[in-house]
Structures are given as C-alpha cells and as structure tokens.
Amino acid sequence: MNAPTDTTAAIQAAIDEATALAGQRPSLAELAEVTDRLRAHIETLLPAAEAAAAGMWQGSREWSALRWHLDGVRERAATDIEPRPFTAHVHVDALRRDCAWLLERYGPGHEREDH
C-alpha cells in the first residue's frame, strides 16, 4: 500500500469510528480519543485546502465561502471537548463532518481545481 492510500484509509477509519459512536454511549475518554484522531487528520488535510483557497481570486464569492468554511473547521478543531456527554458527542460529530468534507475535497488523490 502506498502512503496516500494509507493516509486515506487511516482518515476514513477515524471518520467511521466517529460515525459508529453516534448510536452509543461512549465515555468521555473514548470521545476525547476520537477527537484527537480527527483533529490530527484535519491538521493533515488543512494545508491542501488552504493552498486551494490561496489559489483562488480573493474576494470572489467562492473564495469567501471557502475561507468561511475553513475558518470554522480550524476553530472547531482548536476547541477543547466539553465535559458534558451530549456536547462532546455534538463536537465529535462536527469534527467528523469536517474531516469527511476535507478528505473528499482535499485528501490524497482528490486535488480539484473547482472548489
């Protein structure tokens, strides 16, 4: 297996793990572990997304929408998990969606010119 495939598989595994937790009652420690994995993958994927934004006409509607989305992803990834189970679940789900979005658009082998 090559590195991009390994990376994609690891990211997808973390996304799948977060998805599986949605119907369960995991401990805060389990949610924190998944949060840490998702954050690491988000940090891996963000540079490609940032590069795509940098290549766009700054001020365009598309650039503004992408910047707004990336700023939100970065802010959620930097936010600590809450000690309340429901809030922690919501946070993990938001990170899961962010990670899946980044993987689909900016993951290995998914370089796109039209964002």
Side-chain angles (χ1 to χ4, degrees):
M1 224 179 221
N2 61 29
T5 305
D6 290 346
T7 301
T8 300
I11 295 169
Q12 190 60 54
I15 292 167
D16 293 344
E17 183 180 4
T19 300
L21 291 178
Q24 299 178 14
R25 297 184 85 133
S27 68
L28 286 175
E30 290 172 301
L31 290 169
E33 288 175 18
V34 172
T35 296
D36 289 344
R37 278 193 288 284
L38 291 170
R39 280 182 178 149
H41 294 310
I42 287 169
E43 290 301 319
T44 298
L45 294 166
L46 271 173
E50 295 285 355
M56 298 172 83
W57 179 64
Q58 295 184 7
S60 69
R61 188 176 343 176
E62 294 81 9
W63 175 81
S64 295
L66 181 57
R67 285 293 347 141
W68 178 80
H69 197 111
L70 293 176
D71 290 347
V73 169
R74 194 171 290 290
E75 183 177 327
R76 280 185 293 280
T79 302
D80 289 333
I81 192 167
E82 291 283 334
R84 296 181 306 263
F86 179 75
T87 307
H89 258 291
V90 170
H91 186 73
V92 168
D93 190 56
L95 292 176
R96 177 196 59 80
R97 285 183 279 116
D98 290 339
C99 198
W101 181 82
L102 286 166
L103 179 62
E104 178 184 323
R105 287 165 180 78
Y106 306 102
H110 292 92
E111 291 78 19
R112 295 177 7 172
E113 291 183 23
D114 61 325
H115 297 282

